[in-house]
Amino acid sequence: MYFPESEPEDRPSLSVRAFTGLALMLVSTAWTWGLSLIEVAIVPRFLGPANYGKMSLAGSVLSFASLLVTFGGGMQIIRTISADEEAAGRLCSAIFWFRTLIGVPIILAIYVVMRLTIRDPMVLSLIALVSFNTYLGWMSDIVMSFRNGFTRFATVARAGMLSKFVAVSARIGLVLRYHSPLGAVFGDTLGSITGILSAIFSKGEKIRLHRLSMPDLKKVTKAGIPYFQYNLFLWIYGNPTTIYILCALASYRENGWFTVAQRMVGIFYLLPGIIVGVMIPILTRLYERNREEFVLQSRRVLNPAIVLSIPFALVMVLRSKAMLYALGLPMSRGADSFRAVAILLVIPGLNMPIRWLSSYYGMILIASNRINKQAKTAIFAAIFNIVMTIPLVAWFHHHMGNGAIGAAIAAELTDLLMVIFYMVWIADIAPLKENFVALAKGLVAGVVPAVVLLYLPMRNRWEFILVCGVAIALFIPTAMLTGAIRKDEITPLLDIIKARARMKTKQG
């Protein structure tokens, strides 16, 4: 697998790549968003909260193996390539060998342990299938991060869209046919295989495997230590640990509610993922070559990116029940009801701007080579989250029959703590004061989408999608009027569009 030793000269400038990458990934996100809505509307309804909770538990069991094996994860690969493109091929090959030689034995060992400790045959079958899918996920992470590191955003977007389409189609078809969570997990496997093949055989830098090199293996291992520290404590205070606590102190049903809510919250969390994925390789190059330009571009990215969290937060807070009705999830008081999920959407909705801030400030830390600071923050966050989650889950389960509420509250408080720490670490390079001024002005602009969401009817899923789309679309010009999104943050994008139009005209 030859990961090229020099960068091709056919790639456009950083600013053009940034805009093009964002545009392509936004298209990919719209596609992913739509498919995710369809899947969330069908799969949980036909599986029921208990089976959905079992599937969630099986997926989380292998998460610790992924933590150990992926080590630095995709972000390490992207930053490694962005900072040293000539060594990209050898280093990515070293990561491949590390994940294969270390990961496969770990997967087998975990499966043996699970067979000795878990008696539910469905959970055991799910774990077996998830084990294979986990390895595919590791390989997909390498290939996609390699393409992303070389700013091949079109390839990443196309592979992601194709993978999502196959996965969702297979999940829905198999669940409708067999009413089993095994079908949903098998659909994910088909999607992963499709995405990997699409990324490998796309145009661009060729992907070829190098022989295992101990110096390269040592280099990626050493560079990955701070990423691993961060990922370790992220795992401790993240969803996998919360799922274990819910299953131990509450029930599969409450875990199913929590998992469905997190899937739906994830749909509203796609935009930060896109911006972070596109901007990390670009900001890393700027940080290594031009610190002043790095600070300028960071400000231009952060302010509008943070402000855009407001309309999405309003949808979750004001119309959570409408969202569940639109998706067709049962809202009765029976065993298959998802009525309790509504409050689990309102809680993260109230905290949505802080969630987005956490992602963007983490992006600045990684791009500025301060991942060790992020790792230190994760230590405090992990301790805080465990201390808060256990009593909150137990209390809400005992008094309200929904321990997932406690888990959601603990998660949002943890994000708030992380943002406070991040602000300390990046105070010298990030425009923190400007960010919060823009956010305050954005809240004023949020009055317009709030009125739209509250007073326009949402009698079915199509009206829900239409009204939410109108609310989000109206927010952008309103935010510009209030100054939440500034003209100098939009002008560079308009200039890039004009430049590309002139370029195409000349080529034509």
Side-chain angles (χ1 to χ4, degrees):
M1 186 157 42
Y2 173 71
F3 294 80
E5 307 302 335
S6 62
E7 175 185 3
E9 299 296 331
D10 64 337
R11 286 187 286 146
S13 67
L14 288 173
S15 58
V16 173
R17 271 182 274 165
F19 174 74
T20 304
L22 286 171
L24 289 169
M25 297 304 285
L26 282 172
V27 172
S28 175
T29 296
W31 174 265
T32 301
W33 196 5
L35 291 176
S36 297
L37 283 173
I38 295 172
E39 190 239 343
V40 172
I42 296 174
V43 173
R45 177 156 39 110
F46 281 87
L47 293 181
N51 273 334
Y52 208 79
K54 290 180 181 181
M55 185 173 68
S56 168
L57 175 62
S60 67
V61 166
L62 273 297
S63 65
F64 191 71
S66 293
L67 172 69
L68 294 174
V69 176
T70 57
F71 210 60
M75 288 302 174
Q76 179 194 1
I77 298 173
I78 293 172
R79 197 187 192 287
T80 297
I81 292 174
S82 301
D84 188 4
E85 296 178 5
E86 293 184 358
R90 301 194 316 275
L91 297 178
C92 284
S93 294
I95 292 172
F96 166 83
W97 287 114
F98 179 87
R99 293 186 181 186
T100 299
L101 298 177
I102 302 296
V104 172
I106 289 177
I107 286 178
L108 294 175
I110 289 178
Y111 180 71
V112 170
V113 172
M114 290 300 102
R115 284 198 65 88
L116 297 175
T117 56
I118 295 178
R119 300 301 178 210
D120 191 312
M122 176 58 73
V123 174
L124 290 174
S125 298
L126 286 168
I127 291 174
L129 189 53
V130 167
S131 298
F132 177 64
N133 201 26
T134 298
Y135 180 78
L136 291 178
W138 298 340
M139 299 302 104
S140 176
D141 183 48
I142 294 175
V143 175
M144 294 293 192
S145 298
F146 174 80
R147 294 296 189 199
N148 213 5
F150 279 100
T151 64
R152 296 293 182 181
F153 300 121
T155 297
V156 175
R158 183 168 54 249
M161 291 170 68
L162 183 59
S163 173
K164 187 68 175 180
F165 174 76
V166 171
V168 170
S169 300
R171 280 171 70 94
I172 292 174
L174 292 171
V175 167
L176 290 178
R177 177 67 177 82
Y178 298 104
H179 286 227
S180 169
L182 288 171
V185 179
F186 188 71
D188 290 337
T189 303
L190 295 177
S192 296
I193 293 173
T194 302
I196 292 171
L197 294 177
S198 175
I200 288 177
F201 294 107
S202 295
K203 293 181 179 180
E205 294 78 7
K206 293 182 179 179
I207 301 180
R208 296 175 183 167
L209 189 62
H210 287 246
R211 292 181 178 179
L212 178 61
S213 167
M214 293 308 296
D216 290 334
L217 187 59
K218 291 179 180 179
K219 182 176 181 179
V220 298
T221 303
K222 182 179 180 180
I225 289 175
Y227 292 90
F228 172 74
Q229 292 173 342
Y230 170 71
N231 289 333
L232 172 63
F233 290 99
L234 178 64
W235 181 88
I236 291 174
Y237 73 78
N239 283 346
T241 304
T242 301
I243 288 169
Y244 301 149
I245 294 172
L246 281 168
C247 289
L249 301 181
S251 67
Y252 282 138
R253 188 183 183 200
E254 289 164 70
N255 182 43
W257 291 336
F258 179 78
T259 303
V260 169
Q262 291 303 303
R263 288 293 302 274
M264 296 175 72
V265 171
I267 294 173
F268 288 83
Y269 200 61
L270 290 173
L271 185 58
I274 292 171
I275 293 176
V276 169
V278 170
M279 293 308 302
I280 277 184
I282 294 169
L283 290 177
T284 296
R285 287 179 173 87
L286 289 176
Y287 183 81
E288 298 292 339
R289 302 169 189 175
N290 189 332
R291 299 293 172 85
E292 292 183 1
E293 185 67 15
F294 170 83
V295 174
L296 175 63
Q297 294 300 332
S298 296
R299 183 187 69 76
R300 286 177 172 171
V301 170
L302 285 175
N303 284 347
I306 293 167
V307 168
L308 285 174
S309 66
I310 293 173
F312 294 97
L314 290 172
V315 172
M316 295 179 64
V317 172
L318 299 178
R319 302 313 298 259
S320 60
K321 289 185 179 179
M323 191 186 313
L324 294 171
Y325 278 116
L327 293 174
L329 295 176
M331 297 287 284
S332 64
R333 297 186 182 275
D336 64 341
S337 174
F338 288 89
R339 186 185 188 90
V341 174
I343 185 63
L344 301 179
L345 296 177
V346 172
I347 294 169
L350 291 169
N351 201 48
M352 184 65 72
I354 297 298
R355 275 179 168 246
W356 287 32
L357 274 172
S358 178
S359 290
Y360 297 138
Y361 287 169
M363 172 185 73
I364 298 299
L365 284 169
I366 293 173
S368 60
N369 202 24
R370 304 183 187 192
I371 183 62
N372 61 316
K373 303 295 186 183
Q374 197 174 27
K376 290 180 180 179
T377 301
I379 296 174
F380 292 102
I383 297 171
F384 176 82
N385 184 265
I386 295 296
V387 171
M388 294 295 294
T389 301
I390 293 175
L392 285 174
V393 166
W395 191 92
F396 278 96
H397 171 69
H398 179 72
H399 293 281
M400 300 182 64
N402 189 357
I405 295 176
I409 293 174
E412 303 311 321
L413 291 175
T414 303
D415 270 322
L416 177 60
L417 178 69
M418 291 190 67
V419 167
I420 293 172
F421 274 96
Y422 285 174
M423 289 169 60
V424 174
W425 302 131
I426 63 174
D428 60 322
I429 55 174
L432 304 181
K433 183 178 179 180
E434 286 187 30
N435 295 160
F436 284 95
V437 170
L439 189 58
K441 293 179 179 178
L443 290 173
V444 176
V447 172
V448 172
V451 170
V452 172
L453 291 169
L454 286 172
Y455 292 102
L456 290 185
M458 295 184 180
R459 291 163 297 195
N460 54 56
R461 70 185 58 180
W462 304 114
E463 287 187 354
F464 172 80
I465 294 173
L466 177 61
V467 171
C468 290
V470 169
I472 294 170
L474 289 177
F475 174 78
I476 296 175
T478 308
M480 294 182 69
L481 288 175
T482 62
I485 299 177
R486 292 163 44 170
K487 183 179 179 180
D488 67 322
E489 295 163 350
I490 301 298
T491 301
L493 296 182
L494 298 177
D495 291 342
I496 291 170
I497 294 173
K498 293 176 183 178
R500 289 184 67 83
R502 288 195 296 269
M503 186 185 305
K504 290 182 178 179
T505 300
K506 290 180 180 179
Q507 290 175 350

